[in-house]
Amino acid sequence: MRDFFSGLVILLIVASMGLLEAPDRDRMVSAGIAAQAQEIAAAQKHPVEVLVDVRDITVSGRVESGAERAALLKELKTIEGVQSVRHELVVLPNAAPFALTIEKTGQQAVASGVVPSVEVSRGIAAALDIPADGLTLATGAPDADWGTVAGAVALALSRLENGQMSISDHSVALTGQAILPATVAALKNELSALPGAYRVTLDLTALDDGAPYSFFASRDPRMGMRVSGKLPPDVEIADLIGPLGQVHDLQVAAAPVDLGLPGFAEAAALGSRMLALLPQGHLVLTGATLTLGGGPLDATGETELRALVAGLPAGFTAKLALVPVDDDTPLGLTILRDEGGLSVSGKAPAGFDPAALAQLLPDAEIALSQSPYPDLTQWGATALQVAALAGHLGEGSVTLANDGVRVDGVVADEAALLALRAAVTELREDIPVEANVDLADAGKPPRFVVTYDAVQGASVDGILPKGLDLALIAQALGLADVGGDERKSKLGEPAQIQKALRVVRAWLPEAENLFLTFDQGDLTLTGVLSPGADAELILKETRDAVDWQKRPLLQLLTSFPKPETVRMNAALQAEQIFLAGFWLPRLDFEPSLEACRAFTGEALGQGGVNFLSGSRRLDARAVRVINRISAVARRCVNDGGLQLEIGGHTDNVGSARDNRRLSNARARTVAQAIGLRGVDAAGLQALGHGADLPIADNATREGRAANRRITFDWPGPLDDAQ
């Protein structure tokens, strides 16, 4: 094979020089010698350069030993037609011990010692911004990992403010200072993964304790004035606490370096002046948020305080808690309707008029206490909306608390339930609502519809059977949640429904929409599948798995969205984009060989390509991985100019000829499916390997199953592959 490619290279070089049109034996021989000499040079450990003058070769570069030099010269001399081989080869010195030392101070680094290759030298130079030619190439590295270890330690040194690294054979030492403890911990963790042959000694410390800036101050009649925190390095502590008067407990530290929060010192100084206005209270400044609480404060003091708040640096916010004394009971409202009638209790803000509730609930007995604080959160308006909810309950309760609204009870009929739902939608969007409401006729038999949409997700409408709820439906479908009001019958058996839901779950990511209907024991299914789904196979699997009263009806999507439409698939919880008539995963990455291989591996990690037994027909689940691979291939083939090699493989059951035919047919099927999704066919190569490349033992069932597979490889740019 090597001779074949060597001959092909020679032929291409000869053709490019125009030699086929004007035969010249010396030029043809020279071209052939040059091609073989370049191939030999490329196989050397260190870069070497060969120059060919008709039949004479001159080679220059570095080698590790006299024996390596002799072997290279001997191999060049064996090229047919060579008359002489001259060399300018330099034998690298042998270093013992094989050692490297680098010292870093601030942004400057000085290195001395040896490295095993130009690549290692360049890597270290790039990590520490030092000249690559300052390091000496030598032989004598204790093993092949030495260069990788040196590069890793150099990267670690680059993250230190000051430090020194040294490597001598298998001994590694790194000392120095990082800014934060998190950096020290990360470096220790990374360097713990060095090969086991290397003995690593670390002496790393942090300049800072890792805590952010903070400023705490409190004035209390019994404890006095207390101040603590961590401040920027340029803050004058005496000036900062001066407005606070006598400080009884001072525990303030200055950060050794600037932690990068501009304006903190100014905000702390303003906060100190704010607290000085309060007879008692506390100040907390963390991050860019200043919290001040205490009092009492008259109108003049409040005006002065708010002027200080207005002077906070840009990006800083203040939270003020200047409130009179209260019993600390939170605001709340409870409306109860039972056999004893209708009652209202709770605590309202100052200024709230209970008469507004009486107008909505004229028969209610109202007993509300009042807070001395004003309504700062539109509590009154929300309370009136909550009261409207209670008007739809036959019996039960409605509660408004700090954590949202809760509705428990029974409504008379469907109309009352719809009215209650409408009233809930009038509440502010930021108010959580928890409802547990049943129809008074919950003894009716179960009758409901599960609706699924690829964008909106799933919801339930109707009465569920005993033992089934929204959470169980979501679990059976593999969804995070299912919408709808949870109304339950006291009748019914959920086993048949749950089985149907689990069957649907297997192909739910391929559904555009579906409707699963249960009506007094009759179970029916209709829906629309995404382009590319095998409706026939999905229908067969679904029909065979469940006892349906009517045959399920599934059809492919016929009304397509605009190209490049983007959506979030509810079943996959992933973005999709409509391209070339298919919903493909939305990917955005630079199409390098490394990235393409990584994204392909990630796609196959979610499942491989499978076929019907003994056939080239894809099974019902294959569309999912075909779509994932196609999304990668559109970036890597169409945009990156790379070639995708699709390999078909079988086990060793049957004849080699039949296996090769089947594997080739399957690879071509996959290539055609990917091509239909907008991937340039010129960048796709389908190969059938039969049973020639097993990855497991064909003597076992598991091994044979592993060997029956489709592989996806990225050999390189399309031009190179051709």
Side-chain angles (χ1 to χ4, degrees):
M1 184 64 72
R2 171 175 167 179
D3 292 340
F4 169 77
F5 282 110
S6 298
L8 180 60
V9 172
I10 294 171
L11 186 60
L12 290 174
I13 294 175
V14 170
S16 69
M17 297 174 63
L19 300 181
L20 294 180
E21 297 178 3
D24 183 322
R25 179 170 181 77
D26 285 340
R27 292 175 64 192
M28 291 181 66
V29 171
S30 178
I33 292 172
Q36 294 186 60
Q38 291 293 346
E39 182 180 0
I40 293 170
Q44 304 307 304
K45 182 174 181 181
H46 294 281
V48 297
E49 181 179 3
V50 292
L51 298 175
V52 178
D53 184 7
V54 186
R55 298 171 180 267
D56 300 319
I57 297 176
T58 301
V59 58
S60 60
R62 298 183 177 92
V63 294
E64 291 196 354
S65 65
E68 183 178 327
R69 177 177 60 193
L72 173 58
L73 297 176
K74 180 179 180 181
E75 189 173 5
L76 290 172
K77 290 176 181 178
T78 61
I79 298 174
E80 184 177 355
V82 171
Q83 291 182 345
S84 68
V85 177
R86 294 186 296 274
H87 78 87
E88 298 173 4
L89 297 169
V90 177
V91 177
L92 294 177
N94 184 274
F98 204 82
L100 171 66
T101 299
I102 305 177
E103 187 168 350
K104 179 177 182 287
T105 304
Q107 299 301 315
Q108 302 296 320
V110 178
S112 63
V114 295
V115 291
S117 68
V118 172
E119 290 77 14
V120 173
S121 177
R122 290 172 180 169
I124 293 174
L128 293 166
D129 195 19
I130 59 176
D133 56 9
L135 297 171
T136 302
L137 291 179
T139 63
D143 56 35
D145 291 328
W146 195 97
T148 302
V149 171
V153 180
L155 281 174
L157 179 62
S158 70
R159 294 162 64 184
L160 299 178
E161 291 300 291
N162 304 287
Q164 183 184 65
M165 63 169 279
S166 64
I167 307 178
S168 179
D169 290 336
H170 285 107
S171 295
V172 177
L174 178 65
T175 63
Q177 294 178 314
I179 292 180
L180 299 174
T183 304
V184 172
L187 293 178
K188 289 181 177 180
N189 181 60
E190 292 167 10
L191 295 178
S192 68
L194 293 179
Y198 286 81
R199 301 177 298 278
V200 181
T201 302
L202 301 178
D203 184 9
L204 304 177
T205 58
L207 295 171
D208 187 77
D209 61 4
Y213 293 149
S214 61
F215 183 50
F216 308 99
S218 64
R219 174 180 280 129
D220 182 87
R222 295 186 177 181
M223 301 299 296
M225 177 62 70
R226 294 178 292 168
V227 179
S228 61
K230 178 179 178 180
L231 303 172
D234 57 348
V235 171
E236 290 292 334
I237 296 177
D239 294 341
L240 175 65
I241 65 175
L244 299 175
Q246 183 180 3
V247 176
H248 302 89
D249 184 6
L250 179 63
Q251 299 184 32
V252 174
V257 292
D258 188 355
L259 301 182
L261 184 57
F264 188 91
E266 183 182 352
L270 287 170
S272 182
R273 293 170 58 189
M274 294 177 198
L275 183 60
L277 297 173
L278 303 179
Q280 62 182 38
H282 62 272
L283 166 71
V284 176
L285 177 59
T286 56
T289 301
L290 184 149
T291 303
L292 181 69
L297 194 64
D298 58 22
T300 302
E302 184 172 352
T303 300
E304 185 176 352
L305 175 64
R306 296 195 179 277
L308 293 172
V309 170
L312 285 171
F316 282 74
T317 58
K319 297 181 179 180
L320 303 180
L322 308 175
V323 293
V325 177
D326 185 41
D327 62 5
D328 294 330
T329 302
L331 300 179
L333 184 71
T334 299
I335 304 172
L336 178 64
R337 186 187 295 275
D338 57 18
E339 296 178 354
L342 185 63
S343 63
V344 180
S345 61
K347 182 178 181 180
F352 179 77
D353 187 0
L357 284 176
Q359 291 180 352
L360 290 172
L361 305 170
D363 299 331
E365 180 180 340
I366 300 175
L368 287 178
S369 63
Q370 278 202 331
S371 166
Y373 312 139
D375 186 355
L376 303 177
T377 61
Q378 299 183 344
W379 186 94
T382 303
L384 296 180
Q385 292 177 320
V386 169
L389 299 180
H392 302 291
L393 288 178
E395 62 179 70
S397 64
V398 181
T399 302
L400 170 63
N402 289 337
D403 58 353
V405 174
R406 180 180 177 87
V407 183
D408 296 281
V410 175
V411 294
D413 50 35
E414 291 278 358
L417 183 60
L418 292 174
L420 178 62
R421 291 176 180 170
V424 168
T425 63
E426 297 297 322
L427 293 172
R428 295 202 323 264
E429 292 183 358
D430 61 333
I431 298 178
V433 179
E434 182 179 352
N436 185 15
V437 179
D438 291 325
L439 287 173
D441 58 354
K444 290 183 178 180
R447 178 182 298 168
F448 66 93
V449 178
V450 177
T451 303
Y452 172 78
D453 178 85
V455 175
Q456 301 298 325
S459 62
V460 175
D461 185 38
I463 303 173
L464 297 176
K466 179 181 178 182
L468 188 64
D469 56 28
L470 297 182
L472 289 174
I473 293 175
Q475 181 181 3
L477 288 174
L479 300 175
D481 56 63
V482 170
D485 290 326
E486 192 168 276
R487 298 163 50 200
K488 296 181 183 178
S489 171
K490 298 179 180 178
L491 308 174
E493 168 56 49
Q496 179 191 14
I497 301 165
Q498 289 177 295
K499 182 178 181 181
L501 292 170
R502 288 192 292 269
V503 170
V504 169
R505 174 180 181 171
W507 49 265
L508 191 62
E510 282 71 65
E512 293 293 308
N513 59 66
L514 63 83
F515 302 90
L516 179 66
T517 303
F518 184 82
D519 188 357
Q520 299 187 31
D522 290 342
L523 194 60
T524 59
L525 175 68
T526 60
V528 175
L529 301 177
S530 300
D534 193 324
E536 180 183 356
L537 289 181
I538 291 175
L539 268 173
K540 185 178 185 306
E541 291 181 7
T542 305
R543 288 170 179 167
D544 293 346
V546 179
D547 183 16
W548 302 94
Q549 279 62 48
K550 295 181 181 179
R551 292 170 62 88
L553 177 61
L554 300 174
Q555 58 186 6
L556 289 175
L557 183 70
T558 56
S559 178
F560 300 109
K562 293 181 180 180
E564 299 189 5
T565 297
V566 176
R567 74 180 184 185
M568 174 65 74
N569 186 294
L572 294 173
Q573 280 299 292
E575 279 193 337
Q576 295 178 313
I577 183 169
F578 195 75
L579 297 170
F582 297 88
W583 284 110
L584 304 181
R586 189 183 186 192
L587 301 178
D588 185 14
F589 62 93
E590 289 299 321
S592 66
L593 267 177
E594 181 180 356
C596 294
R597 288 166 177 163
F599 275 89
T600 301
E602 182 178 336
L604 293 175
Q606 302 173 46
V609 179
N610 294 312
F611 299 83
L612 299 187
S613 178
S615 168
R616 66 180 295 173
R617 183 174 181 178
L618 296 165
D619 75 359
R621 310 292 170 267
V623 63
R624 214 169 300 169
V625 68
I626 293 293
N627 286 343
R628 292 195 294 265
I629 295 295
S630 298
V632 177
R634 285 179 66 97
R635 292 288 295 150
C636 298
V637 175
N638 296 5
D639 300 336
L642 302 178
Q643 184 180 44
L644 175 59
E645 184 179 285
I646 303 164
H649 305 265
T650 68
D651 56 28
N652 65 351
V653 177
S655 71
R657 182 180 181 183
D658 289 345
N659 283 336
R660 189 171 295 278
R661 285 180 176 176
L662 178 60
S663 64
N664 185 62
R666 287 178 169 179
R668 290 169 60 86
T669 294
V670 173
Q672 290 167 1
I674 294 175
L676 286 175
R677 286 155 173 80
V679 179
D680 186 358
L684 303 176
Q685 183 179 21
L687 300 174
H689 299 288
D692 294 344
L693 301 174
I695 59 173
D697 188 356
N698 276 310
T700 67
R701 179 183 299 178
E702 294 78 8
R704 291 191 294 275
N707 289 330
R708 298 190 295 270
R709 68 198 189 280
I710 292 290
T711 57
F712 300 90
D713 295 318
W714 297 97
L718 179 58
D719 292 341
D720 293 351
Q722 291 177 339

